[in-house]
């Protein structure tokens, strides 16, 4: 950009794997994350850094309230998604800074962004169906996998907080209309 400004996007996966997390559209991502005046600043020489941090967590690293919301959501959704269970907990966070200043956290973007995350080998399976459970603002939501790949989950979100990668091997809906 003009006068030496730039915007750089870094994706950091706590597993240290290259390309384990990808963004579908970098331009749309930048526009969804940054306020317009920050984007304009890059054209005036500001150096903008955005970091998407994907941290794989153990159960003990999650606030009790969030863990319970995610576990309860998995149990609730298992009523219609046979065999649904939580495989991994993930903190997906986002922040940016301008010209080396303080990092500014972003908890919600202006538009949904599409993320793809490589599923750990121990959870990959040909017959598996994957979901993301997201807890944000005291509620848990189920997000569908937008692709058919068995080693990647692709989903859309505009909220950044604690997630759980959930899956089912059966992947079949329970017929709740009979009985």
């Amino acid at each position: 950009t003009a006068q030496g400004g730039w915007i750089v996007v870094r994706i950091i996966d706590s597993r240290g794997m290259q390309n384990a997390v990808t963004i579908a559209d970098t331009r749309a991502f930048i526009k969804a994350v940054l306020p317009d005046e920050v984007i304009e600043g890059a054209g005036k020489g500001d150096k903008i850094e955005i970091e998407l941090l994907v941290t794989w967590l153990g159960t003990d690293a999650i606030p009790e309230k969030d863990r319970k919301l995610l576990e309860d959501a998995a149990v609730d959704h298992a009523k219609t998604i046979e065999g649904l269970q939580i495989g991994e907990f993930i903190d997906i966070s986002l922040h940016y800074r301008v010209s080396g200043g303080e990092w500014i956290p972003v908890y919600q973007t202006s538009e949904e962004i599409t993320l793809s995350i490589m599923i750990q080998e121990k959870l990959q399976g040909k017959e598996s169906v994957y979901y993301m459970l997201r807890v944000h603002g005291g509620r848990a939501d189920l997000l569908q996998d937008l692709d058919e790949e068995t080693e990647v989950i692709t989903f859309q979100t505009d909220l950044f907080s604690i997630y759980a990668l959930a899956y089912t091997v059966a992947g079949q809906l329970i017929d709740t209309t009979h009985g």
Side-chain angles (χ1 to χ4, degrees), residues 43-83:
K44 298 174 184 166
D46 288 342
K47 291 155 180 53
I48 316 299
E49 297 171 86
I50 302 172
E51 288 184 342
L52 175 67
L53 308 161
V54 178
T55 307
W56 297 79
L57 303 170
T59 307
D60 56 338
I62 300 166
E64 177 71 23
K65 185 176 77 173
D66 290 344
R67 185 182 55 75
K68 181 148 180 40
L69 277 168
L70 289 167
E71 289 173 347
D72 289 350
V75 168
D76 189 48
H77 286 291
K79 294 173 186 170
T80 54
I81 304 171
E82 183 180 355

Side-chain angles (χ1 to χ4, degrees), residues 8 13 18 37-38 43-44 52 60 65-66 73 79 90 95 97 115-116 120 122 126 132 148 151 153 160 162 165-166:
V8 64
D13 183 311
Q18 287 291 91
E37 62 273 13
V38 173
K44 298 174 184 166
L52 175 67
D60 56 338
K65 185 176 77 173
D66 290 344
K79 294 173 186 170
I90 311 165
H95 58 209
R97 69 180 174 183
L115 296 176
S116 296
Q120 298 199 38
K122 66 182 179 182
K126 287 183 208 162
M132 275 297 206
E148 299 293 322
E151 59 280 334
I153 182 165
F160 295 85
I162 303 292
L165 173 62

